[in-house]
Amino acid sequence: AGRAARQKPARCTARWLPATACRTDRPRRMTPWLSRPAAQHAMRLALALLACLLAAWVEWQRPVLPTRLDEALRDRLLHLSADPAPDTRVAVIDIDETSLRQLGPWPWPRQRMADLLEILLSHYQVRAIGVDILFPEPADPVGDARLAMLAAHAPVTLAQILDYPERDTPLRQGALAGGLPADPAQPALGAQGYLANHAGLSATARCLGNIGYQPDADGVLRRLPVLTRYQGRDYPMFAATLIDCARAPNAASVLPLAAGASWRSPYPRAWSAYTVAPAAEVLAQRLPTQLLAGRYVLVGSSSLSLGDHVSTPLAPLNAGVLVHANALSALLDIQAGRGGLPWSGRAGLAAWVLLSVALLAWAMPRVPAWGNIAGLAALTAGWLALGLWGARHGAEWSLSAPLAAYLCLLATAIPFEWWGAQQRNKRLLSTFSRYVGPSVLNEMVRRGLEDSLTPTQREVTVLIADMEGFTRTTAALPLTDAARLTRDFLQRLTGPVLAHGGTLDKYTGDGLVAFGGAPLPCPEQADQAAAAALDIVAAVAALNQQRHADGLPTLRVRIGIESGLALVGDLGTSFRSSYTAIGDCINFASRLESAARTLPADIIIGAAAAQRIRAHTLRPLGSLQLRGAEVMMEVFTVEPR
């Protein structure tokens, strides 16, 4: 402590600086990194890239919540767009509750089932029959023989169920038949077991289709297996087999192999579009023959007691036979060229995300926050319209991927732009609060003129005011009185300038330099300068009345006004900012102010400013040869209002 007390204080090596400038413990005022334009551009690029990466992750990984949102939107779309117009190609023969009451409970005798199929083929002349019912055990030998004969020679497709979940004891019931040798190049779902018809039917059946399905995690059946692979053989879907069963032997199959292992059923028809005839009415032949003639017919049951019901996008509880009816309609539409198979749509999705995110990244710094939110809402609505249209036409793209990108921008980019706008407004407030009045400053903030500090060439009107005889007036005054007089005089000069929208450039000891037309453009800048000059003269006159009452000498203000082009902006250095104007009009205004010494007016207006004044009356004062001017300049003064 003693040594510290005896040490001499450090001397400042720069003798022309004040002592406080030598202190090293004062924190430096630095511009935050994110406030720099280059850093803000880099941040916008990073946020846009983050939004695109998030959209790509949602598209490729398909997380649970976005996937459920996608499926909910698709389900709603399918429900609203399902065509209620009657489908005259497909009919359903329903073993409903009424038929069960009339003819007896299930299971019906095989003879009755054979009668039903024969009546459909012979009396009603249907195109083909799909039997959405299993016969896993032999029953009536005569009935089974008749069913086997029909399955072997008529366009009748029997059903069998491939089972997909892993079970402790795999299902093995009936005799699985049909199928093709497995093709490793063709994707297929793997089955763990099966439920099939008894061997007497399976061995003779010409057409066998899989009615097994695998609902989504929420229990809704949206996709049907195209091919199911089990023990080295591939088994096709039921609806495609039914169509193929009625075609010529060498005709190409309608199996939608291009859809992959599972086919997203488009559910093109509302349930009300299908002709559903009770089985009892068909057996009694009470229906008009033209009602079913030439149609693909599905035989199934809507009875709750038979338990064949499933949840679909069209309704929470449907008979399974109607699911196959919709699949049949969709395949027939594809065959007729009115529909298409699913397609990924990823190229279109990527293009939309990249273009929309780039558009938002470009627009966000240029529009206010509410405009950004409105833009996000418009792009969201546009994507939903395009995305749902694509989904209705088979696009498998993720509807929520662009929404995730927009949500990312809403959570990050818009707050960042809001913060940037606040920083720019603070910079405007900090810089221009020393130069302009509150009304001009508020208008600049409202317009968001961040680039107001950038030097530009503008048409301005310069006003220079000065106290005549300042040195003589203050020479005999004490220092405090001289300072008070200077402040009072400058206050009367500054107030009118700011009140009329002028910009204060600088104080020149006992006077000031101001200009109009920047930072805000103003067509009436010359008239406002003239009005400010008249108010300055009136304010100085009021000050003189007070000084005269106190026995003090009066003061005179000299004012020069001229218009012209000037370079306006922040023309300072890294050490000090200075919003100022540079141009010949500033020099001419200064010389006009000096010329007022010998002219009978306090306000001297140059020819260029006089041509712009419309709201005031001017009086000519003659012509002057100003220093720097090659010709005589006509000058004016303004008459009091």
Side-chain angles (χ1 to χ4, degrees):
R3 287 195 301 272
R6 291 192 297 271
Q7 287 178 349
K8 295 182 178 180
R11 299 178 59 83
C12 180
T13 57
R15 296 178 179 273
W16 57 86
L17 294 178
T20 55
C22 299
R23 294 182 59 182
T24 59
D25 58 344
R26 177 173 296 175
R28 294 183 61 190
R29 183 180 179 88
M30 300 183 66
T31 302
W33 179 77
L34 278 180
S35 297
R36 302 172 185 173
Q40 292 184 356
H41 292 326
M43 179 60 72
R44 292 188 190 101
L45 180 61
L47 293 177
L49 181 60
L50 176 63
C52 292
L53 290 177
L54 180 61
W57 177 76
V58 171
E59 167 63 23
W60 263 267
Q61 296 299 320
R62 301 294 175 103
V64 175
L65 290 180
T67 299
R68 290 188 175 180
L69 174 62
D70 283 355
E71 299 300 354
L73 289 173
R74 289 175 183 271
D75 291 351
R76 188 59 181 167
L77 173 67
L78 292 177
H79 180 78
L80 294 175
S81 61
D83 189 0
D87 189 342
T88 59
R89 303 164 300 177
V90 180
V92 175
I93 307 304
D94 187 12
I95 303 175
D96 58 356
E97 297 290 350
T98 302
S99 298
L100 292 175
R101 284 196 301 270
Q102 291 180 7
L103 302 176
W106 189 262
W108 282 353
R110 301 292 166 83
Q111 290 269 32
R112 184 178 297 161
M113 292 301 302
D115 290 341
L116 179 64
L117 300 185
E118 288 178 354
I119 291 171
L120 288 171
L121 290 168
S122 60
H123 180 74
Y124 288 102
Q125 298 292 311
V126 300
R127 183 180 182 87
I129 302 173
V131 183
D132 186 26
I133 298 171
L134 291 183
F135 305 101
E137 299 291 342
D140 175 10
V142 176
D144 282 339
R146 291 175 62 194
L147 288 177
M149 186 66 68
L150 290 168
H153 301 286
V156 174
T157 300
L158 297 183
Q160 51 192 8
I161 299 174
L162 276 299
D163 187 48
Y164 303 96
E166 293 188 3
R167 306 177 188 273
D168 294 337
T169 303
L171 296 179
R172 303 279 196 277
Q173 186 174 5
L176 189 63
L180 300 170
D183 182 2
Q186 183 63 45
L189 289 182
Q192 307 300 319
Y194 62 86
L195 295 174
N197 298 293
H198 64 84
L201 282 179
S202 298
T204 59
R206 183 168 62 92
C207 303
L208 290 162
N210 173 35
I211 61 172
Y213 57 82
Q214 202 171 19
D216 290 348
D218 57 358
V220 179
L221 179 58
R222 301 184 179 93
R223 297 167 179 83
L224 295 174
V226 176
L227 280 179
T228 301
R229 189 161 295 159
Y230 181 73
Q231 294 185 351
R233 295 187 70 81
D234 288 342
Y235 298 90
M237 63 186 296
F238 186 67
T241 305
L242 174 57
I243 297 175
D244 291 343
C245 194
R247 295 167 64 89
N250 297 326
S253 174
V254 297
L255 194 67
L257 296 175
S262 292
W263 173 50
R264 182 189 290 274
S265 178
Y267 288 98
R269 302 281 177 164
W271 299 142
S272 59
Y274 293 106
T275 299
V276 180
E281 297 295 310
V282 174
L283 286 167
Q285 301 182 24
R286 288 193 288 263
L287 299 176
T289 56
Q290 64 271 19
L291 185 66
L292 303 177
R295 297 195 187 196
Y296 294 92
V297 171
L298 291 166
V299 178
S301 176
S302 65
S303 174
L304 292 176
S305 61
L306 270 66
D308 184 20
H309 289 80
V310 66
S311 176
T312 70
L314 301 185
L317 191 64
N318 302 114
V321 66
L322 289 175
V323 173
H324 299 298
N326 237 307
L328 186 61
S329 295
L331 291 176
L332 291 173
D333 288 341
I334 294 172
Q335 188 179 21
R338 293 193 297 270
L341 292 173
W343 45 286
S344 71
R346 282 181 171 172
L349 174 66
W352 175 274
V353 171
L354 291 174
L355 291 176
S356 62
V357 169
L359 176 64
L360 285 170
W362 176 84
M364 279 185 176
R366 293 169 172 80
V367 298
W370 65 265
N372 292 328
I373 295 175
L376 277 174
L379 285 174
T380 299
W383 165 249
L384 287 177
L386 176 64
L388 291 173
W389 174 87
R392 192 68 185 90
H393 290 79
E396 288 287 344
W397 53 30
S398 170
L399 297 173
S400 57
L403 303 183
Y406 300 154
L407 184 62
C408 176
L409 292 177
L410 180 64
T412 58
I414 289 183
F416 172 74
E417 294 300 339
W418 178 85
W419 175 85
Q422 295 300 310
Q423 295 300 311
R424 292 189 291 271
N425 287 342
K426 287 181 181 178
R427 188 183 179 202
L428 282 174
L429 290 171
S430 174
T431 301
F432 284 101
S433 61
R434 299 171 290 176
Y435 300 104
V436 300
S439 60
V440 176
L441 191 60
N442 292 336
E443 180 64 16
M444 291 177 65
V445 172
R446 188 186 70 82
R447 296 189 185 185
L449 301 177
E450 309 78 50
D451 57 348
S452 300
L453 293 173
T454 303
T456 56
Q457 194 174 48
R458 303 284 287 273
E459 183 78 25
V460 298
T461 298
V462 182
L463 182 152
I464 296 180
D466 192 22
M467 180 193 298
E468 186 174 80
F470 173 76
T471 303
R472 183 180 64 256
T473 302
T474 59
L477 296 177
L479 182 60
T480 55
D481 292 344
R484 184 182 305 109
L485 173 61
T486 303
R487 284 196 297 269
D488 289 346
F489 188 76
L490 292 178
Q491 184 70 28
R492 283 160 176 80
L493 302 185
T494 306
V497 167
L498 298 182
H500 289 279
T503 299
L504 178 62
D505 186 340
K506 63 178 74 70
Y507 289 121
T508 57
D510 59 335
L512 59 74
V513 178
F515 53 85
L520 291 179
C522 179
E524 300 83 16
Q525 55 183 265
D527 277 305
Q528 290 187 351
L534 290 173
D535 288 350
I536 289 173
V537 171
V540 172
L543 176 62
N544 283 331
Q545 290 181 357
Q546 179 181 346
R547 289 177 63 82
H548 180 73
D550 295 339
L552 299 174
T554 58
L555 306 174
R556 184 193 179 202
V557 63
R558 302 194 307 265
I559 301 173
I561 298 175
E562 184 58 308
S563 298
L565 289 175
L567 182 64
V568 183
D570 185 358
L571 300 173
T573 66
S574 59
F575 300 98
R576 180 180 179 184
S577 296
S578 177
Y579 186 79
T580 187
I582 298 175
D584 289 340
C585 57
I586 291 93
N587 299 326
F588 285 133
S590 176
R591 291 161 192 166
L592 289 171
E593 178 268 323
S594 298
R597 293 191 183 99
T598 58
L599 293 175
D602 296 329
I603 304 171
I604 310 300
I605 300 174
Q611 292 179 356
R612 300 175 66 96
I613 292 177
R614 299 288 184 271
H616 294 80
T617 302
L618 300 182
R619 175 166 54 87
L621 296 177
S623 299
L624 293 176
Q625 178 72 47
L626 297 179
R627 182 167 53 88
E630 297 179 357
V631 297
M632 298 289 287
M633 176 185 290
E634 190 175 6
V635 295
F636 304 82
T637 190
V638 58
E639 296 288 352
R641 293 187 294 269

